[in-house]
Amino acid sequence: MRQIEKYGIFELELENGDLTEKTVPSAFFSQGSDSVKINGFLKRKNAYAVRFMPQNEGVWKYEIEWRRKKIQGEFECTENTGKNHGTVMTDGFHFKYADGAKYIPVGTTCYAWIHQHDDLIEQTLTTLSDSPYNKIRMCIFPKSMQYNNNDPIFFPFHRKADGSWDMTSPDAEFWKRLDDYISKLADLGIEADLILFHPYDRWGFSGLPLSDCLTYLDYCINRFSSYRNVWWSLANEYDAVFSRRFEDWQEFGNKIMSCDPYRHPTSVHNIIRIFPRSVWMSHCSIQSGKTDQCSKWREEYGLPVIVDECGYEGNIQDNWGNLSAFEFLHRYWTAVVLGGYCSHGETYHRDDEVLWWAKGGKLYGESTERIRFLKDLLYGLPGHIDPKKSVLDVDPYNLPDSESIDNSSKGFVDYIRRYPVEDRNFFLSNVHVIGGNRDFTIHYLGRTCPSFYDVDMPHNGKYRIEIIDLWNMTRDVAVDSSSGTIKVRLPGREGISVLITRLSGEPL
Amino acid sequence: MRQIEKYGIFELELENGDLTEKTVPSAFFSQGSDSVKINGFLKRKNAYAVRFMPQNEGVWKYEIEWRRKKIQGEFECTENTGKNHGTVMTDGFHFKYADGAKYIPVGTTCYAWIHQHDDLIEQTLTTLSDSPYNKIRMCIFPKSMQYNNNDPIFFPFHRKADGSWDMTSPDAEFWKRLDDYISKLADLGIEADLILFHPYDRWGFSGLPLSDCLTYLDYCINRFSSYRNVWWSLANEYDAVFSRRFEDWQEFGNKIMSCDPYRHPTSVHNIIRIFPRSVWMSHCSIQSGKTDQCSKWREEYGLPVIVDECGYEGNIQDNWGNLSAFEFLHRYWTAVVLGGYCSHGETYHRDDEVLWWAKGGKLYGESTERIRFLKDLLYGLPGHIDPKKSVLDVDPYNLPDSESIDNSSKGFVDYIRRYPVEDRNFFLSNVHVIGGNRDFTIHYLGRTCPSFYDVDMPHNGKYRIEIIDLWNMTRDVAVDSSSGTIKVRLPGREGISVLITRLSGEPL
């Protein structure tokens, strides 16, 4: 019996002898009382295919009725191995793999890497394999903007006689290659965050009629949803695709929710207005430089927050693409310590116009190694980071009664109380961000440079204090086992964090 | 005949033979039809004094009637020399000396330097004499807060039997010393921005009865207004002096306006709420880290704007006092390029608690040399900096008609038009600031790191383009004489400015 690893792909190819017959096959896959209908897709001119990702071990049966023929069979789903942990799914404000393994999104962005020549694609994959990144944002349609002046090697569809795109006629070579790229990413443990639409276009893909969009979406879902490492991004900068109405995005999201049997992570990326919470949305995919809003967005959306674009490390003229590595990392750490996630991107000018953010190639920046350092730190922490409030982090518009608060914050609360309510936004500007859980607390001190820091720990327990330098990538134990309130010495530089870990006793 | 330099001090001392007689002498000074009444002050237990600053050359006559005696005399006012350019006054959104010489405020802050021991005071004056600073913010009353735990050497007044302060009994030694310090600052070309009240107190000065405050103000005005280099700062953090009502500050300001015959620069410094525009206010003295608001404050107040406290370069625990030198300079340049001014302060922790911001001493930071570099640049520019709008700096809430704008901004304006009005604040986030006048334009690129920059110059003229690096203190000519639109190469670092100077032809 054919054997397929759990979360692998079982594919059935069906030859298309009669090209005038356009019915797309679909199949029923079942295991005991568990049964699911899976739609096929036109794989090439003379063949359809049905793909299925089994999520339970054991024998699966399938059955297809197509063109008055009945095809039946079975295969065995075996244990998942190696880097295969299944599809990523949300877990509260965080993520995990289907098999329960830890997944912390540490993504990067190469919008048009699949549209470049083979050598460059090969180089991109090599760079990715050496990188810390485990998610990549990538467009299916080609991209047209500054530094993206080359035509793609293959288009996804053939044109009709009138020059418009024929969504019923996919270019087999394009999609075969894309299959291959997604597969290779899976082998590297990298999630493919597929961007379905975007506005940077000179070929007509951003202005497709709505019915063509739905045909295309169907095709993508039927072809790619069986890849365990696929995520759906409805759009990059949905609110800059001026041909689309707001309702269209809702329709696309609902279509994915109802047609994707595996519920891959699904979101949509904005230029200005963050898309409102919608039922099909698994997480927020945000463009904003204000990563200090992550805890607010978490509260507003009740979903995991990924700031997929907080600006790029680079030196191009556009201000979204000329952050210093430090500023980029500062935004990244701010997001992460506030219980969010952040994605990388790099835009160093090159005369050959091969910039990582668009075409892939090589990485030249200083942030990638420091993101690796942070990733290792995050994977080593006991659990996820959720935002914490500091002792002094009161709501200045709704002050607690003096009687109900402890002495350490009383003085500050009474101080705020002396100011008229309309002036109290002054007290909202937090430059330190704090996150953690019961087992650890991390204070990211941002651009402030204190040479001392007061650490408050419970009295009943033992706690370790470490000083972390995001730029120099050092992690030094300041106090190995202590409790109560301690003043620790800091290097007095930007980019310092204080990590307090519980060794025993009362939770943090 | 006695000779006094213009803007110098003519002083008459009057012995106080009868200590039960409390009438304070006042004198009339006249030159032709120009006549002014000047009030005296108790200089020491057995002597009053009247001080006058002549502002016109030639012979001045004076006349005093006091205790049934009439004193008359005259002196000659001679030309001002050396660093003596008279009192600073406002000049539109900027400042100048009374004799018309250029004055660009480049201030620093040493709140309690006059309250330290003599050696330290001497060291502070030496440091100042080697520094670029030409204004200093300093408190008259002693200061009590962290790093300010020592008692002052002298108090300004003697205590009454009940322990409260007797404002009619000044400590002659304290005031004689303060005279001397203000004099020495004048010799160094440094304006003494005298802070009259402040909240950091453990001796009772922040909670004086209103009548005592007015007595004290009278004393300060009558004693110090004849010093050409005095500025009046009603308070540091007026809105943290909780014993005072808003109306008290108005009363103090109006008193200074009516009693200071020389109209020294007068303002008041906030912690949170910037004091509203008032008739006695010559300029804004602002505490805020948001120096990118300078152009807005200029418009709102119609006055020169000095951000006297945007945070301090240092490494103490309080976040107002642990900015990196770069972040501090970034805020400083932002203020200056937007037509405002900024003041320095330094708070590096020292175990001996001698921090420049409070006690003076030595400077340890990295910003002072770079402020000197900027000061030299500013004094060398052809005229003052006023904020300029960039070509693309349209008001997104009130877009111009497409017909009324030139082609270079049309695309951007039409782009903004596609977004609902409520989303357009996105387009307000300028990270580049631009200032200048008809003869030069300076673009400060802040924390962005472009490696290229498009410079737009008129076609009819010759212009020089220079690249300025605020940290490395370099100023390099990129293009010596050109016109039209040019793309210049930049170092791709934070803290870069592009200066375009008109050599001939059409104004910028």
Side-chain angles (χ1 to χ4, degrees):
Chain A
M1 202 185 309
R2 231 172 114 188
Q3 290 196 323
I4 300 290
E5 208 171 87
K6 192 175 170 185
Y7 315 122
I9 299 174
F10 175 82
E11 179 173 320
L12 270 179
E13 215 175 281
L14 298 156
E15 221 156 289
N16 186 21
D18 176 4
L19 295 180
T20 62
E21 168 76 73
K22 297 283 189 192
T23 318
V24 177
S26 53
F28 285 89
F29 288 85
S30 61
Q31 186 184 54
S33 60
D34 196 358
S35 175
V36 59
K37 184 185 176 201
I38 299 291
N39 295 321
F41 59 93
L42 186 64
K43 193 171 175 188
R44 47 179 192 276
K45 204 172 177 182
N46 55 351
Y48 286 93
V50 177
R51 287 177 181 168
F52 175 63
M53 170 170 62
Q55 294 177 292
N56 288 306
E57 290 169 47
V59 175
W60 284 85
K61 294 181 192 300
Y62 60 86
E63 194 175 306
I64 302 178
E65 279 205 30
W66 185 54
R67 297 188 182 173
R68 289 161 302 275
K69 280 186 293 184
K70 199 169 188 169
I71 305 158
Q72 280 181 311
E74 56 182 26
F75 68 89
E76 191 193 352
C77 174
T78 60
E79 205 183 348
N80 56 313
T81 63
K83 285 193 179 171
N84 172 10
H85 296 288
T87 299
V88 167
M89 51 183 63
T90 63
D91 181 21
F93 288 106
H94 306 283
F95 297 90
K96 64 179 180 190
Y97 284 110
D99 75 350
K102 205 163 184 172
Y103 176 75
I104 296 174
V106 178
T108 188
T109 309
C110 301
Y111 288 121
W113 74 278
I114 67 161
H115 293 284
Q116 311 307 317
H117 59 76
D118 286 351
D119 289 352
L120 186 49
I121 287 174
E122 202 51 52
Q123 194 182 56
T124 303
L125 287 165
T126 303
T127 303
L128 284 170
S129 72
D130 293 336
S131 83
Y133 303 116
N134 62 16
K135 173 167 106 58
I136 186 169
R137 285 179 61 72
M138 51 192 272
C139 298
I140 294 179
F141 290 129
K143 186 180 179 198
S144 175
M145 74 184 293
Q146 61 267 43
Y147 296 104
N148 290 266
N149 298 302
N150 54 328
D151 270 340
I153 313 292
F154 299 97
F155 284 104
F157 298 96
H158 297 114
R159 287 188 196 270
K160 294 182 201 160
D162 67 0
S164 67
W165 296 107
D166 181 356
M167 314 310 279
T168 65
S169 179
D171 182 325
E173 184 62 23
F174 172 88
W175 295 94
K176 193 182 85 180
R177 283 165 171 261
L178 188 43
D179 277 348
D180 181 46
Y181 305 145
I182 298 173
S183 252
K184 282 179 170 155
L185 292 173
D187 293 344
L188 295 171
I190 298 173
E191 303 293 302
D193 197 353
L194 299 178
I195 296 166
L196 297 162
F197 298 95
H198 67 254
Y200 335 108
D201 177 50
R202 62 175 179 267
W203 305 279
F205 295 112
S206 66
L208 290 173
L210 182 61
S211 60
D212 279 358
C213 293
L214 295 170
T215 307
Y216 158 72
L217 275 186
D218 258 331
Y219 191 80
C220 291
I221 295 167
N222 296 338
R223 181 157 193 140
F224 293 136
S225 61
S226 53
Y227 286 89
R228 63 174 178 269
N229 63 325
V230 155
W231 295 31
W232 305 116
S233 179
L234 298 196
N236 217 62
E237 300 189 341
Y238 82 91
D239 45 345
V241 185
F242 297 115
S243 63
R244 295 267 77 82
R245 300 166 311 154
F246 180 75
E247 296 72 29
D248 297 346
W249 301 112
Q250 292 289 11
E251 186 169 352
F252 298 164
N254 284 317
K255 182 175 185 65
I256 286 174
M257 186 175 64
S258 57
C259 299
D260 168 8
Y262 314 102
R263 295 279 178 102
H264 290 280
T266 305
S267 194
V268 59
H269 165 277
N270 62 292
I271 180 170
I272 295 175
R273 182 180 274 196
I274 303 172
F275 205 91
R277 178 168 183 167
S278 304
V279 70
W280 46 265
M281 197 185 276
S282 60
H283 65 283
C284 295
S285 166
I286 289 175
Q287 171 168 193
S288 171
K290 295 180 181 155
T291 53
D292 60 347
Q293 301 300 299
C294 275
S295 48
K296 202 197 79 189
W297 291 322
R298 278 176 42 130
E299 276 181 37
E300 258 180 58
Y301 282 80
L303 297 173
V305 168
I306 306 181
V307 183
D308 270 314
E309 192 174 344
C310 72
Y312 299 110
E313 180 193 354
N315 64 0
I316 62 171
Q317 265 192 274
D318 308 84
N319 284 343
W320 49 260
N322 57 29
L323 303 184
S324 68
F326 188 91
E327 173 65 20
F328 173 76
L329 289 162
H330 169 59
R331 295 181 186 189
Y332 200 114
W333 273 73
T334 302
V336 162
V337 173
L338 288 175
Y341 298 95
C342 200
S343 297
H344 167 262
E346 190 183 290
T347 48
Y348 280 106
H349 170 83
R350 290 176 52 83
D351 287 338
D352 66 6
E353 302 217 328
V354 179
L355 279 64
W356 176 260
W357 130 89
K359 297 181 182 168
K362 289 186 185 174
L363 286 163
Y364 300 90
E366 298 179 286
S367 63
T368 291
E369 279 318 292
R370 292 168 176 90
I371 289 171
R372 189 194 303 278
F373 169 75
L374 173 56
K375 183 188 178 192
D376 290 346
L377 176 85
L378 294 175
Y379 268 93
L381 288 173
H384 292 297
I385 301 184
D386 292 310
K388 288 189 175 184
K389 285 187 183 288
S390 77
V391 180
L392 299 182
D393 195 7
V394 293
D395 176 359
Y397 297 109
N398 188 18
L399 292 175
D401 289 337
S402 291
E403 292 74 38
S404 71
I405 46 175
D406 59 44
N407 275 328
S408 62
S409 28
K410 195 170 176 316
F412 187 62
V413 168
D414 287 345
Y415 182 74
I416 300 176
R417 210 185 300 282
R418 309 186 85 145
Y419 290 94
V421 168
E422 63 271 25
D423 284 345
R424 292 186 190 163
N425 69 339
F426 177 85
F427 297 102
L428 287 175
S429 57
N430 280 324
V431 284
H432 292 177
V433 294
I434 310 178
N437 59 36
R438 293 160 54 93
D439 292 322
F440 71 92
T441 299
I442 186 160
H443 300 244
Y444 172 56
L445 309 185
R447 287 200 174 272
T448 69
C449 308
S451 55
F452 293 100
Y453 198 72
D454 289 324
V455 177
D456 285 319
M457 298 166 289
H459 288 276
N460 303 316
K462 290 291 171 195
Y463 309 88
R464 174 179 298 140
I465 304 175
E466 289 168 276
I467 311 300
I468 298 164
D469 181 326
L470 76 81
W471 188 258
N472 294 309
M473 299 182 275
T474 54
R475 184 175 169 176
D476 298 315
V477 175
V479 178
D480 201 28
S481 172
S482 190
S483 60
T485 295
I486 283 195
K487 194 186 278 293
V488 293
R489 245 200 184 287
L490 299 184
R493 279 194 295 276
E494 295 184 344
I496 301 299
S497 293
V498 179
L499 172 65
I500 303 124
T501 310
R502 176 167 71 125
L503 305 177
S504 67
E506 209 175 311
L508 287 160
Chain B
M1 201 187 309
R2 232 173 114 186
Q3 290 195 324
I4 300 292
E5 208 171 88
K6 191 177 169 184
Y7 315 122
I9 299 174
F10 175 82
E11 178 173 321
L12 269 179
E13 214 175 280
L14 298 155
E15 219 157 288
N16 185 21
D18 177 4
L19 294 179
T20 63
E21 167 77 74
K22 297 284 189 192
T23 320
V24 177
S26 54
F28 286 89
F29 288 85
S30 62
Q31 186 184 52
S33 60
D34 194 359
S35 176
V36 59
K37 186 186 176 199
I38 300 291
N39 295 321
F41 60 94
L42 187 64
K43 193 170 176 188
R44 47 178 193 278
K45 203 171 179 184
N46 55 351
Y48 286 94
V50 176
R51 286 177 180 168
F52 174 64
M53 170 170 62
Q55 295 178 292
N56 289 307
E57 290 170 45
V59 174
W60 283 85
K61 293 180 193 302
Y62 59 87
E63 195 176 305
I64 302 179
E65 279 205 29
W66 184 57
R67 297 189 181 175
R68 289 160 303 276
K69 280 187 294 186
K70 199 168 189 169
I71 304 158
Q72 280 182 313
E74 56 183 29
F75 68 90
E76 191 193 352
C77 173
T78 61
E79 204 184 348
N80 55 315
T81 62
K83 285 193 177 171
N84 172 10
H85 296 288
T87 299
V88 167
M89 51 183 64
T90 63
D91 182 21
F93 288 106
H94 306 283
F95 297 89
K96 64 180 180 190
Y97 284 111
D99 75 351
K102 204 164 185 172
Y103 177 74
I104 295 173
V106 178
T108 188
T109 309
C110 301
Y111 287 122
W113 73 278
I114 67 162
H115 294 284
Q116 312 307 317
H117 58 76
D118 287 351
D119 289 352
L120 186 49
I121 286 174
E122 202 52 52
Q123 195 182 55
T124 303
L125 287 165
T126 304
T127 303
L128 284 170
S129 72
D130 293 337
S131 83
Y133 303 117
N134 62 17
K135 174 167 105 59
I136 187 168
R137 286 179 61 72
M138 50 191 272
C139 298
I140 295 180
F141 290 130
K143 187 180 178 197
S144 175
M145 73 183 294
Q146 60 267 46
Y147 295 104
N148 291 265
N149 299 303
N150 54 329
D151 269 340
I153 313 292
F154 299 96
F155 285 103
F157 298 96
H158 297 113
R159 289 188 194 269
K160 295 182 200 163
D162 67 1
S164 67
W165 296 107
D166 181 356
M167 313 310 279
T168 65
S169 179
D171 183 326
E173 184 62 24
F174 172 88
W175 296 94
K176 193 183 85 180
R177 284 165 171 262
L178 187 44
D179 278 348
D180 181 46
Y181 304 145
I182 298 173
S183 253
K184 283 181 169 153
L185 291 173
D187 293 344
L188 296 171
I190 298 174
E191 303 294 302
D193 198 351
L194 299 178
I195 296 165
L196 297 161
F197 297 97
H198 67 253
Y200 335 108
D201 178 50
R202 62 175 179 268
W203 306 279
F205 295 113
S206 66
L208 291 173
L210 182 61
S211 60
D212 279 358
C213 293
L214 296 169
T215 308
Y216 157 72
L217 275 187
D218 257 332
Y219 192 80
C220 291
I221 295 166
N222 297 338
R223 181 156 193 141
F224 293 136
S225 61
S226 54
Y227 286 90
R228 62 174 179 269
N229 62 324
V230 156
W231 295 33
W232 306 116
S233 179
L234 298 196
N236 217 62
E237 299 188 341
Y238 81 91
D239 45 344
V241 185
F242 297 115
S243 62
R244 295 268 77 82
R245 302 166 310 155
F246 181 75
E247 296 72 29
D248 297 347
W249 302 111
Q250 292 288 9
E251 186 169 353
F252 298 164
N254 284 316
K255 182 175 185 65
I256 286 174
M257 187 176 62
S258 57
C259 299
D260 169 8
Y262 314 102
R263 296 278 178 101
H264 290 280
T266 305
S267 195
V268 60
H269 166 277
N270 62 291
I271 181 170
I272 295 175
R273 181 180 275 197
I274 303 172
F275 204 91
R277 178 167 182 166
S278 304
V279 69
W280 46 265
M281 197 186 275
S282 60
H283 65 283
C284 296
S285 166
I286 289 174
Q287 172 168 192
S288 170
K290 295 179 183 157
T291 53
D292 60 346
Q293 301 299 299
C294 275
S295 48
K296 202 197 79 187
W297 291 323
R298 278 175 43 130
E299 275 180 38
E300 257 180 60
Y301 282 80
L303 296 172
V305 168
I306 306 181
V307 184
D308 270 314
E309 192 174 343
C310 72
Y312 300 110
E313 180 193 352
N315 64 0
I316 62 172
Q317 265 193 272
D318 308 85
N319 284 342
W320 48 261
N322 56 29
L323 303 184
S324 68
F326 188 90
E327 172 65 21
F328 173 76
L329 289 163
H330 168 60
R331 296 181 185 188
Y332 200 113
W333 273 74
T334 302
V336 162
V337 173
L338 288 174
Y341 298 96
C342 200
S343 297
H344 167 263
E346 190 184 289
T347 48
Y348 281 105
H349 170 83
R350 288 175 54 82
D351 288 339
D352 67 4
E353 301 217 330
V354 179
L355 278 63
W356 176 260
W357 131 89
K359 296 181 181 167
K362 288 186 185 175
L363 286 163
Y364 300 90
E366 298 179 286
S367 64
T368 292
E369 280 317 292
R370 292 169 175 90
I371 290 172
R372 189 195 302 278
F373 169 74
L374 173 57
K375 183 188 179 192
D376 291 347
L377 176 84
L378 294 175
Y379 268 93
L381 287 173
H384 293 296
I385 301 183
D386 292 310
K388 287 188 175 184
K389 284 186 184 290
S390 76
V391 180
L392 298 183
D393 195 7
V394 293
D395 176 357
Y397 298 109
N398 188 17
L399 292 176
D401 289 337
S402 291
E403 292 74 39
S404 72
I405 47 174
D406 59 43
N407 274 328
S408 61
S409 27
K410 194 170 177 315
F412 187 61
V413 167
D414 287 345
Y415 182 73
I416 300 175
R417 210 186 301 282
R418 309 187 86 148
Y419 290 95
V421 168
E422 62 271 25
D423 283 344
R424 293 187 190 164
N425 68 340
F426 177 85
F427 298 102
L428 287 174
S429 58
N430 280 324
V431 283
H432 292 177
V433 294
I434 310 178
N437 59 37
R438 294 160 54 93
D439 292 323
F440 72 93
T441 300
I442 186 160
H443 300 243
Y444 172 54
L445 309 186
R447 287 199 175 273
T448 68
C449 308
S451 56
F452 292 101
Y453 198 71
D454 290 323
V455 177
D456 286 318
M457 299 166 288
H459 288 276
N460 302 314
K462 290 291 173 196
Y463 309 88
R464 174 179 298 140
I465 304 175
E466 288 167 277
I467 312 299
I468 298 164
D469 181 327
L470 75 79
W471 188 258
N472 294 309
M473 298 182 276
T474 54
R475 183 175 170 177
D476 298 315
V477 175
V479 178
D480 201 28
S481 173
S482 190
S483 60
T485 296
I486 283 195
K487 193 185 278 294
V488 293
R489 243 199 185 286
L490 299 183
R493 280 194 294 276
E494 296 185 344
I496 301 299
S497 293
V498 179
L499 172 65
I500 304 124
T501 310
R502 176 167 72 123
L503 305 176
S504 67
E506 210 176 311
L508 286 161

